[in-house]
Amino acid sequence: PPAPRLASTSSTVTGGAAAGGGFFDLPPPVDSSSSTYALKPIPSPPPPAADPSTDSAREPKRMRTGGGSTSSSSSSSSSLDGGRTTSSVVEAAPPAAQASAGASGPAVPVVVVDTQEAGIRLVHALLACAEAVQQENFTAAEALVKQIPMLASSQGGAMRKVAAYFGEALARRVYRFRPAPDSSLLDAAFADLLHAHFYESCPYLKFAHFTANQAILEAFAGCRRVHVVDFGIKQGMQWPALLQALALRPGGPPSFRLTGVGPPQPDETDALQQVGWKLAQFAHTIRVDFQYRGLVAATLADLEPFMLQPDGEDTDDEPEVIAVNSVFELHRLLAQPGALEKVLGTVRAVRPRIVTVVEQEANHNSGSFLDRFTESLHYYSTMFDSLEGAGSGNSAAEASPAPAGGTDQV
């Protein structure tokens, strides 16, 4: 079709008669020997605030001439050769960047932080500071501990949190600050709340409770009177699932007795009794004969075998089958000489049919300070990573491997 007539400022040839196109207007003849003959682009209208003297130095954008637009301009040279039309277009970078740079004043420096490199430096600073503390070189440790917050600020998520906690611990070592234990009334309730959120946020405790309950359920098969001793009952989250499984057992549920062990509360309230009331109400709902007793003990080494025996005379012909359960409790005894052997002797005295133990493989209580620091840093970094994945709704967190110091069910 015939090409549209372009604005008078354009010299682009867009068609040819030999090719079957319509008519077009040729530019007026010019003298090639004249010094004014050159392929000079026609500049676009300058911004109102710009200096007119700089307009001639600007180069135009490459614009499309189709569509009948009369507001764009372009620069090209064309020739006809045997019915063919050839053209060459002069291109230049758009002047927008130059104009904006001139209007905004001097360039603002931009600092680009390599988070991966900063993360490596952060780990090295933590380990070097721990090594300086071990060697009692507190001058070097103080210089390193001041760098840790700055390096941690470039990180995000789990690494930033772990670095903050370990940096604070190192600072307490460097400045010899030993805060007194906080015995406020809020601590016990807040610890229970944190434990409940931890239980709901990651699969580790749920998996531990599930495997332990499955082993106890198989050990109680065919028994009419069962007794579970829980060395760390906390909120009793493990036992509703076992009670429900026993209620659905063919032949009816057995008589279930639970002994829960827990530490004393700072406010001297009977938190164990409150746990027992909730479990008793649940057992009544599913029609399970349930008995409960709470034992307050500052440490498991304070338990004696007679505390775990049934109250009164056992007149039933069928003996009571006992299961002892411990979830993340025995490793606390490693700091007390002889405490673990004392507890194991108490367990043997009650002659349980099964003992279920869920414990950490990581040992944070032996070796040098640097060894314990390094192992703890790796353990909690992995744990916090898994919590970050579970908290963001990532379903893959359910299948993520257990952290260093994960759970083993024996």
Side-chain angles (χ1 to χ4, degrees), residues 301 330 333-334 336-348:
L330 296 184
L333 303 174
L334 297 177
Q336 308 172 30
L340 183 59
E341 291 75 10
K342 171 71 165 44
V343 172
L344 295 179
T346 302
V347 172
R348 295 189 186 97

Side-chain angles (χ1 to χ4, degrees), residues 109-379:
V110 178
V111 179
V112 180
V113 179
D114 188 345
T115 56
Q116 183 176 5
E117 181 182 356
I120 296 175
R121 291 176 58 192
L122 174 60
V123 174
H124 288 174
L126 287 168
L127 297 179
C129 185
E131 184 176 6
V133 169
Q134 177 176 281
Q135 298 173 357
E136 297 185 356
N137 185 1
F138 293 105
T139 303
E142 182 178 4
L144 288 167
V145 82
K146 291 179 180 179
Q147 298 180 10
I148 293 174
M150 180 181 62
L151 294 173
S153 63
S154 65
Q155 303 299 305
M159 188 59 195
R160 184 170 185 171
K161 297 176 183 178
V162 173
Y165 286 124
F166 277 78
E168 180 183 354
L170 288 172
R172 291 182 177 182
R173 289 268 186 165
V174 171
Y175 298 109
R176 298 174 176 84
F177 175 67
R178 303 278 181 171
D182 187 5
S183 58
S184 63
L185 301 181
L186 183 62
D187 285 349
F190 189 62
D192 291 344
L193 180 64
L194 289 179
H195 184 268
H197 280 294
F198 178 78
Y199 188 83
E200 295 297 331
S201 299
C202 69
Y204 302 124
L205 280 178
K206 294 179 182 179
F207 174 77
H209 290 173
F210 174 80
T211 52
N213 285 346
Q214 183 65 29
I216 295 174
L217 184 64
E218 295 175 0
F220 285 169
C223 301
R224 303 307 307 169
R225 300 175 65 246
V226 297
H227 179 199
V228 174
V229 178
D230 189 357
F231 280 166
I233 192 167
K234 295 182 173 63
Q235 288 85 23
M237 297 178 179
Q238 179 174 351
W239 306 117
L242 180 62
L243 286 170
Q244 191 168 10
L246 291 173
L248 299 176
R249 193 178 68 173
S255 175
F256 187 90
R257 189 161 70 95
L258 176 62
T259 299
V261 182
Q265 300 298 312
D267 55 357
E268 299 182 357
T269 58
D270 196 350
L272 297 180
Q273 192 66 27
Q274 297 176 7
V275 173
W277 287 339
K278 294 178 181 179
L279 291 175
Q281 184 178 7
F282 178 77
H284 177 73
T285 304
I286 60 177
R287 298 181 180 180
V288 174
D289 184 14
F290 179 79
Q291 295 180 4
Y292 175 82
R293 180 173 58 177
L295 295 178
V296 178
T299 175
L300 294 178
D302 296 337
L303 296 178
E304 298 294 339
F306 72 89
M307 300 179 181
L308 308 179
Q309 299 296 336
D311 297 331
E313 295 293 334
D314 189 3
T315 59
D316 201 323
D317 294 336
E318 184 175 356
E320 188 179 63
V321 178
I322 300 177
V324 176
N325 180 78
S326 175
V327 178
F328 296 140
E329 295 295 333
L330 296 184
H331 74 278
R332 306 175 188 274
L333 303 174
L334 297 177
Q336 308 172 30
L340 183 59
E341 291 75 10
K342 171 71 165 44
V343 172
L344 295 179
T346 302
V347 172
R348 295 189 186 97
V350 299
R351 302 178 62 86
R353 174 171 292 187
I354 185 173
V355 178
T356 54
V357 178
V358 181
E359 264 308 331
Q360 303 178 111
E361 294 177 359
N363 183 7
H364 302 157
N365 300 292
S366 64
S368 64
F369 172 75
L370 181 59
D371 292 339
R372 289 182 281 119
F373 183 90
T374 304
E375 187 173 5
S376 300
L377 180 63
H378 175 69
Y379 173 85

